[in-house]
Amino acid sequence: MDLWALAEGVEAAVREVGAKLAARRPAEPTPARTAEEAVARFAEIDKPAAAELRERLGALRPQAGRLDDEFEFEGAVPAEGEWWLCDATDGAVQYLLGLPYWAVTATLVRDGRAVLAVVHAPELLGGRTYRAVLGGGAQLDGRPIAPLPRELGAAVAATSQPPTAAGDPVALRRAGASLAAMAGAVVAVRNLGPTALQVAQVGSGHLALFWEYGADAPNLLPGALVASEAGATVTDTTGAAWTAASDGFLAAAPGLHADALRVLRDVN
């Protein structure tokens, strides 16, 4: 199947799952006093949605394997074969707090590399949908996108931390040092919710750059494909090619990328 044709089916599945989740999203913050209570409440909502999304993706391309729920925290991206990677509620914290900054993502990974990605934010500005295919460009709501040229001093940058950051002291040190360095070089640094969505927003010019330290391939792969296909420069934080095994990530508009690397140079 042509990847763009497949992307249309993936988008339909992602949108339907997103609509159901949006209908169930609490209008007020979930009254969970402990992390265990929050996880249990989230599982009640996310597990059925994730199962439906995996089932629909499997029907669209049954020859692709499906990664299980634990992959985000424990798994490495398979180096061979085709795999569906999906997140029914990317941005669980925001979702449980009754905030609109969450997304549904689906990515087809082939031999360790994303070849198709859809990132759908059901409640962001009435619903926004990014999609991209390897070698075929990227779109937002069906229109081609590209990063916007900016000087670093006029840039709004974004960053986040992997789910396992607390257990990675090197990544935590780099995250803190890089935040201090970048905050002094740009207009503002923000964390606007789901990693995949923020990286995709670099591709559409809504953000000038996004960086992160630590291994986070499941969350980075979909946005990285959107950003790179849109024309952003995507590397690790040293300027080398980014792969699913990299422990640092940087996506920036082409004219900003070298300046962002210089800011991060002393952090690595």
Side-chain angles (χ1 to χ4, degrees), residues 35-59:
E36 291 76 13
E37 289 177 0
V39 168
R41 174 57 179 150
F42 178 69
E44 293 176 6
I45 298 169
D46 180 73
K47 283 188 176 297
E52 178 181 350
L53 183 56
R54 286 195 299 271
E55 181 178 352
R56 294 193 58 165
L57 294 175

Side-chain angles (χ1 to χ4, degrees), residues 21 56 67 95 109 129 131-132 157 217 241 251 266:
L21 283 163
R56 294 193 58 165
L67 298 168
Y95 184 92
V109 178
T129 306
R131 62 180 182 179
D266 295 332

Side-chain angles (χ1 to χ4, degrees), residues 175-186 189 211 262-267:
S178 63
L179 177 59
M182 193 66 74
V186 300
V189 176
W211 88 96
R262 281 191 285 271
V263 173
L264 299 174
R265 179 177 52 200
D266 295 332
V267 175

